[in-house]
Amino acid sequence: MEIGIVIQGSTNFCKEIISAYRSYPYIIWSTWDDEPSENINAIKESGIPLLINTKPGEDCGYWNI
């Protein structure tokens, strides 16, 4: 069985998350473009594919944070 992992959201604990999941073959991290640059760089350097999204404005939808 192959497992795919999507990490979505904040990069606050990126070093711990990178350490825990780096060995999985199918992983991607999706986060906002206003996350701290040192966290973004750490994710990029880990080799985990990174998808950076523009944070939605005031009208972001129901319960979409």
Side-chain angles (χ1 to χ4, degrees), residues 5-65:
I5 297 173
V6 176
I7 301 166
Q8 182 178 350
S10 171
T11 62
N12 290 341
F13 300 100
C14 68
K15 291 178 183 166
E16 293 86 347
I17 293 170
I18 289 167
S19 176
Y21 293 105
R22 121 180 315 151
S23 65
Y24 285 82
Y26 304 105
I27 185 170
I28 189 167
W29 196 314
S30 176
T31 192
W32 303 122
D33 58 0
D34 64 351
E35 288 294 310
S37 60
E38 59 272 9
N39 294 353
I40 296 294
N41 290 336
I43 296 166
K44 288 179 179 178
E45 290 170 6
S46 76
I48 295 174
L50 179 63
L51 181 67
I52 300 176
N53 302 287
T54 302
K55 197 173 238 182
E58 297 270 334
D59 186 25
C60 60
Y62 183 73
W63 285 98
N64 184 6
I65 298 173

